[in-house]
C-alpha cells in the first residue's frame, strides 16, 4: 500500500505542477489576446510535441519534457532600425542579417526568426507595439497566477486543516526530550557520533519526565523563564533542582555557549543568530489548533516570500554545493534547493509516511504544491531575460523613457528593444539549464528525504 501511495503522490504532484504551468501560461495568453495580440502557440512542456490541436489562430498542445511551458506571442522583438528589409512574395518581412560581430549576428538571427511568419495583417497586433503598461500586464500575468494559486492553496490549508502550534504547558516545565550531543548550528539535524561531546542536559543526568523546579536558585515558573536564564548563563555553572518520581533532586553541570537563533520565534530562512548559553532539552507541550483566514495566509506568504528571496540570492552557491554532494565531496544540505523530481519524491514520502494521518498528508501535500507555486511566481519576477521579470523590466524602462521625453518635450524614444539584451538572456538561460540539470541529477543520486 505504501508503494502505491508513494507512486500516486508523485504522479499527483507532477500533475499539480503541470496544471500550475498551464494556468501560468493562461495568465500570459488571456491578457495578450484581450489586448489584441496574436498568440499562435500555447504549449505545456518542451521538446518533441506529444499532442496538439489547432483552435482558430492558436495551436494548443503538450510536449514531451514536463519542465515548463510557453505561449508564442507574435512580435516580441521589433526589427532593428538598421535592419528593415523588404517583404517576400508571400508577405513575410525579410530582415537584413548582419555579420559585424558574434553578438550582433545573434541578435540579427533572433529578429529574423521572429519575423519570418509575420504577415502584413499582423503588424497592428504585434506585441512590441503594445503600450508599455499592457506589456507589463501580459508578462506579469503568468507569475501572478502562480502566486494566486499559492494564496488559495495555503488559505485552504490554514482554513480547513488549521494551524497546529505546540504550546508549552503553564507552570514548571517538564522535560520531554534531550539532545544527547553538542552540534554546531550548521550540523543541526545529523545523528550523534561517538566523538561528539554530551550536552549539559545529558551530562547532568536529566531524563524525560523530570519537572524543572529552579535554575541557579531562580524558580522556573514557565519555559520562557527557563530559556532566558539558560541563555543568559552563557558558559557558567548551572545548579538545577528537579522533581523526579515525587522527589526533588539537585543536579550540577555547566552550560555551554553555542550559536542559536536570537529570536526563538524567528522562522525566516536566514534568522539572526547570537552566542548564547545552551542546555539541550525540550519541554512537554500540547498541540493547539486554530482555523485561520486569508489575512493569516498572506502573512505566512510574506515570510515564505522573504525566505524564497534569500534562497534566490544564494541559489548559484547552493547549487554548487549540491554539485559537490553529487560527486561525494560533501553531504547534501537539508536546506538545498530541489527540482520537480525532488518535490515529487518528497510528496511520495509524505503519502507513504506511516506516522501521518490522512489530514496531515493532504495538508502537507497541498502546502508543498503551494510552496512550489509561490517560488515559481517569485522566481519569474526576477528582472532578467528570458524570465518574465526581464520583459517586465524592459516594458517599465520603455514607459520611463517615454514619460521622461514627454515631460521634457523631447522626441519619443520609441519602443524598448529586448533584443539588445539577448546575449544576457542566453547566458542566464544556459545557467538555469545547468542548475536545473544539477538539481535533477542530485534528486536522483543524493535525494533529500522528508524529515521525521
Amino acid at each position: 500500500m505504501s508503494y502505491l501511495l508513494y507512486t500516486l503522490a508523485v504522479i499527483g504532484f507532477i500533475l499539480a505542477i503541470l496544471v500550475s504551468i498551464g494556468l501560468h501560461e493562461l495568465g500570459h495568453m488571456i491578457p495578450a489576446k484581450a489586448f489584441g495580440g496574436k498568440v499562435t502557440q500555447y504549449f505545456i512542456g518542451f521538446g518533441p510535441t506529444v499532442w496538439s490541436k489547432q483552435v482558430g489562430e492558436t495551436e494548443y498542445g503538450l510536449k514531451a519534457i514536463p519542465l515548463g511551458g510557453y505561449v508564442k506571442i507574435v512580435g516580441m522583438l521589433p526589427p532593428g532600425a538598421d535592419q528593415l528589409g523588404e517583404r517576400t512574395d508571400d508577405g513575410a518581412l525579410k530582415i537584413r542579417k548582419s555579420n559585424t560581430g558574434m553578438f550582433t549576428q545573434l541578435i540579427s538571427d533572433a529578429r529574423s526568426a521572429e519575423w519570418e511568419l509575420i504577415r502584413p495583417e499582423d503588424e497592428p497586433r504585434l506585441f512590441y507595439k503594445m503600450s508599455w503598461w499592457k506589456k507589463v500586464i501580459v508578462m506579469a500575468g503568468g507569475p501572478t497566477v502562480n502566486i494566486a494559486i499559492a494564496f488559495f492553496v495555503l488559505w485552504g490549508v490554514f482554513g480547513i486543516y488549521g494551524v497546529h502550534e505546540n504550546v508549552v504547558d503553564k507552570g514548571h516545565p517538564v522535560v520531554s526530550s534531550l539532545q544527547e550531543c553538542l552540534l554546531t548550528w550548521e550540523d543541526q539535524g545529523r545523528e550523534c557520533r561517538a566523538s561528539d561531546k554530551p550536552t549539559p542536559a545529558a551530562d547532568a543526568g536529566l531524563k524525560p519526565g523530570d519537572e524543572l523546579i529552579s535554575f541557579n536558585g531562580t524558580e522556573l515558573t514557565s519555559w520562557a523563564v527557563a530559556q532566558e536564564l539558560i541563555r543568559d548563563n552563557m558558559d557558567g555553572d548551572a545548579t538545577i533542582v528537579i522533581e523526579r518520581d515525587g522527589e526533588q533532586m539537585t543536579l550540577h553541570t555547566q552550560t555551554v555557549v553555542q550559536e542559536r537563533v536570537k529570536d526563538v520565534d524567528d522562522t525566516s530562512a536566514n534568522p539572526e543568530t547570537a552566542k548564547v548559553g545552551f542546555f539541550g532539552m525540550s519541554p512537554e507541550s500540547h498541540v493547539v489548533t486554530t482555523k485561520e483566514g486569508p489575512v493569516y495566509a498572506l502573512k505566512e506568504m510574506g515570510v515564505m516570500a522573504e525566505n524564497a528571496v534569500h534562497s534566490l540570492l544564494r541559489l548559484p552557491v547552493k547549487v554548487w554545493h549540491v554539485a559537490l554532494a553529487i560527486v561525494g565531496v560533501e553531504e547534501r544540505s537539508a536546506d538545498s534547493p530541489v527540482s520537480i523530481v525532488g518535490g515529487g519524491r518528497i510528496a511520495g514520502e509524505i503519502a507513504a509516511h506511516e506516522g501521518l494521518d490522512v489530514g496531515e498528508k493532504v495538508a502537507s501535500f497541498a502546502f508543498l504544491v503551494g510552496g512550489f507555486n509561490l517560488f515559481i511566481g517569485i522566481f519569474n519576477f526576477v528582472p532578467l531575460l528570458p524570465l518574465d521579470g526581464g520583459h517586465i523590466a524592459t516594458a517599465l524602462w520603455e514607459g520611463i523613457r517615454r514619460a521622461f521625453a514627454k515631460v521634457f518635450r523631447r522626441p519619443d524614444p520609441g519602443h524598448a528593444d529586448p533584443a539588445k539584451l539577448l546575449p544576457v538572456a542566453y547566458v542566464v538561460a544556459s545557467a538555469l539549464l545547468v542548475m536545473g540539470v544539477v538539481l535533477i541529477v542530485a534528486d536522483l543520486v543524493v535525494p533529500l528525504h522528508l524529515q521525521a
Side-chain angles (χ1 to χ4, degrees), residues 183-190 259-260 273 275 333-335:
L183 299 175
T184 64
W185 176 247
E186 293 78 12
D187 285 341
Q188 293 300 305
R190 75 163 173 81
E259 187 174 13
R260 287 293 183 269
T273 59
K275 299 286 187 179
S333 173
D335 66 346

Side-chain angles (χ1 to χ4, degrees), residues 27 46 53 57 72 173 220 230 241 250 272 279 321 366 391 447:
F46 296 108
K53 183 178 181 180
E57 64 185 13
K72 173 61 178 174
L220 302 180
I230 291 170
V241 177
T250 301
E272 185 179 356
F279 203 68
H321 285 288
H391 292 285

Side-chain angles (χ1 to χ4, degrees), residues 44-50 62-66:
I44 299 175
F46 296 108
T49 300
V50 175
L62 299 173
K63 289 186 176 286
I65 305 174

